[in-house]
Amino acid sequence: MCGIIGVVAKSPVNQVLYDGLQVLQHRGQDAAGIVTAEGNTFHMHKANGMVRDVFRTRNMRSLKGNMGIAHVRYPTAGSASSSAEAQPFYVNSPFGIVLAHNGNLTNSEQLKEELFQQDLRHVNTNSDSEVLLNVLAHELQESSNNHKLNAAAVFSAVAGVHRRCRGAYAVVAMIAGYGLVAFRDPYGIRPMVIGKTETESGTEYMVASESVAMDTLGFQLMRDVAPGEAILVEQTGEFYSQQCAMNPKYYPCIFEYVYLARPDSVIDGISVYETRLYMGESLAEKIRLTLSPEDIDVVIPIPDTSRPSALQLANRLGVTYREGFIKNRYIGRTFIMPGQAMRKKSVRQKLNPIGIEFKDKNVLLVDDSIVRGTTSKQIVQMAREAGARKVYLASAAPPVRFPNVYGIDMPTRQELLATGRTDDQIALEIGADAVFYQDLDALIAAVTKANPLITHFESSCFNGDYITGDVTPEYLAMIESNRNDGNDDDKASVSTRQLDLNLSSAES
């Protein structure tokens, strides 16, 4: 999960891109980057850290031009500690191209070998996004006529990317002196929307990971980019779109609606907020089969993502809803923090209980999901220390039992609390009196209810069904082995020895 934005405007885009990244900060807190285009020249600044920390006034002044792309990184493939893997990435052959990517390629090792042996291209980092950039660059070289581009050549190149790349990818790229290209993988796993605004000088276009970026920046949401579709906006403002995949299918990631996306976003015609209300309704009905509402004194959400589900759950059960935890908003989202030690340390810094809401009460805590269980165990303990008589925990999502290989950091079964455990064993592990999980069918029904036109979802972390068809037990064993080889410090020390050829002049 990362956040990406691309803008083609009639005036400088640096502030628009910065503001857009702020809105999408929840999609990645590890690194941020902006590249703008001024004629044939790119201006780049990127570094590790939050958006507000990466960009200073001097950086913003250097980001000149009316076209640009931007990225916030949440580390999946590669290293969380290496500034060399902050995006966007850049190549200068056959055209100057910069690219930002949300997702994860499942055949990046094979592609690296092809790039080196056949395409004669060198990949400098461990990032699969740099692999994707080089594949796109090679396909553009193959499809262009004497290094001259047109819409047909660009769409042919994207079709080549779809033929070669496997996994999840929503991509925004710029070609120097030409325009902005955006495309989505043939399954539409990772989200991407497109919007426009009319100015006195003409139409301006934006592509972004979530519609909330359009809302806050004054762009009108046009539609979602379809699975396999490519969008081309020339720097003059000419707009083109074309389906570039042979057999596209709609399988958006269902975890976007559970946790990843902001509640005020609409993704693939589905209101994220609405789906979370429906999740609360169905979860309430499941809890009613086991617990009487009289056994619960209060429903308390674990902020922030679970609030809509918890509120609707409480309403359906007829139980009092209360805010029992105060969140420190200056601590990042623990699920997307690199490293287990950092996640453990940050939980108590992030949440503090309000004692009167817990003392001598049977408390039903509601969370969006339970992944590793680290956070849940500490929160249950905090509730007990605040005086709760009984602590139940409900998850708006089903048990996470399988690795996700499409851009979410849950790759090893050993790290997943639900793997190999029953609900009673999970409750015992985290210290709760009982644990209640959403059923997968109910979750799918909740999301489908918000848009009946979308009936299939990528839900591999719940059911182990990898829709791209190339994820084998050997592949899963390989990524688990790679993750378990050494600790985060070891990985960082290796990765930071790599050269960063993408530094801006201000950084170097």
Side-chain angles (χ1 to χ4, degrees), residues 87-409:
Q87 295 186 41
F89 283 107
Y90 168 76
V91 292
N92 64 359
S93 173
F95 311 94
I97 307 170
V98 287
L99 176 145
H101 164 220
N102 173 29
N104 193 55
L105 299 184
T106 54
N107 66 334
S108 59
E109 292 303 316
Q110 172 192 337
L111 289 170
K112 281 182 185 179
E113 190 68 22
E114 291 178 6
L115 287 168
F116 184 74
Q117 297 288 348
Q118 301 173 27
D119 302 346
L120 305 181
R121 287 184 166 272
H122 173 67
V123 176
N124 186 60
T125 71
N126 290 327
S127 174
D128 61 329
S129 303
E130 191 186 8
V131 171
L132 201 158
L133 169 60
N134 277 274
V135 172
L136 175 62
H138 176 78
E139 294 301 321
L140 280 169
Q141 180 176 319
E142 294 295 300
S143 63
S144 61
N145 183 15
N146 294 324
H147 298 287
K148 292 183 180 179
L149 285 176
N150 55 29
V154 171
F155 293 141
S156 176
V158 174
V161 172
H162 289 329
R163 286 193 297 270
R164 297 179 65 179
C165 294
R166 298 289 179 269
Y169 50 92
V171 173
V172 62
M174 280 194 303
I175 305 170
Y178 184 65
L180 181 145
V181 183
F183 55 92
R184 199 173 173 193
D185 71 73
Y187 291 92
I189 298 173
R190 301 264 71 87
M192 178 180 282
V193 295
I194 182 165
K196 67 178 180 179
T197 186
E198 301 294 340
T199 69
E200 292 181 357
S201 303
T203 305
E204 299 179 342
Y205 292 94
M206 170 185 285
V207 292
S209 294
E210 295 184 30
S211 66
V212 66
M214 311 287 174
D215 301 337
T216 59
L217 297 172
F219 284 74
Q220 178 186 357
L221 177 65
M222 296 168 59
R223 58 181 176 83
D224 295 89
V225 177
E229 184 184 21
I231 302 294
L232 169 63
V233 184
E234 295 179 345
Q235 61 183 6
T236 57
E238 294 297 317
F239 177 90
Y240 306 89
S241 66
Q242 184 172 305
Q243 177 55 251
C244 298
M246 293 294 293
N247 187 27
K249 300 176 182 178
Y250 239 126
Y251 277 80
C253 173
I254 203 165
F255 211 73
E256 291 280 352
Y257 305 98
V258 170
Y259 173 81
L260 303 181
R262 271 181 46 157
D264 46 346
S265 282
V266 177
I267 297 174
D268 292 314
I270 299 170
S271 164
V272 175
Y273 178 77
E274 188 178 7
T275 66
R276 292 175 184 171
L277 293 178
Y278 294 145
M279 290 175 204
E281 291 180 2
S282 56
L283 187 56
E285 295 308 314
K286 181 173 183 179
I287 290 172
R288 195 190 297 273
L289 297 175
T290 305
L291 275 182
S292 168
E294 288 73 27
D295 294 329
I296 306 169
D297 296 314
V298 63
V299 173
I300 294 177
I302 298 172
D304 287 318
T305 320
S306 64
R307 279 196 175 105
S309 296
L311 179 59
Q312 200 73 345
L313 183 152
N315 289 337
R316 184 57 67 95
L317 290 179
V319 176
T320 300
Y321 171 92
R322 286 286 188 270
E323 293 286 340
F325 293 100
I326 298 301
K327 183 177 180 180
N328 181 348
R329 300 187 181 280
Y330 301 97
I331 300 291
R333 299 176 96 184
T334 53
F335 174 70
I336 61 174
M337 284 183 172
Q340 185 79 329
M342 188 177 296
R343 280 188 292 270
K344 288 181 179 179
K345 181 180 179 182
S346 69
V347 175
R348 285 185 176 267
Q349 295 173 343
K350 186 174 77 168
L351 295 177
N352 194 45
I354 301 173
I356 60 171
E357 296 297 351
F358 293 91
K359 188 171 177 58
D360 298 326
K361 295 180 181 178
N362 295 339
V363 179
L364 173 61
L365 302 177
V366 180
D367 207 350
D368 50 75
S369 58
I370 305 171
V371 182
R372 296 170 177 87
T374 307
T375 300
S376 301
K377 185 173 185 177
Q378 293 190 57
I379 289 173
V380 170
Q381 184 179 348
M382 286 161 52
R384 292 201 184 282
E385 291 172 354
R389 188 165 53 242
K390 287 188 177 181
V391 182
Y392 308 111
L393 179 61
S395 167
V400 178
R401 301 189 189 277
F402 301 91
N404 183 286
V405 299
Y406 299 126
I408 306 175
D409 186 25

Side-chain angles (χ1 to χ4, degrees), residues 400-457:
V400 178
R401 301 189 189 277
F402 301 91
N404 183 286
V405 299
Y406 299 126
I408 306 175
D409 186 25
M410 49 174 80
T412 68
R413 283 158 286 194
Q414 292 84 352
E415 290 181 288
L416 301 176
L417 177 66
T419 301
R421 292 187 176 96
T422 65
D423 289 359
D424 289 341
Q425 290 171 330
I426 292 169
L428 182 63
E429 178 68 23
I430 64 176
D433 290 282
V435 170
F436 303 93
Y437 280 102
Q438 186 87 260
D439 293 328
L440 180 56
D441 289 345
L443 174 61
I444 292 173
V447 183
T448 302
K449 189 175 179 181
N451 181 3
L453 296 178
I454 307 292
T455 58
H456 297 91
F457 299 90

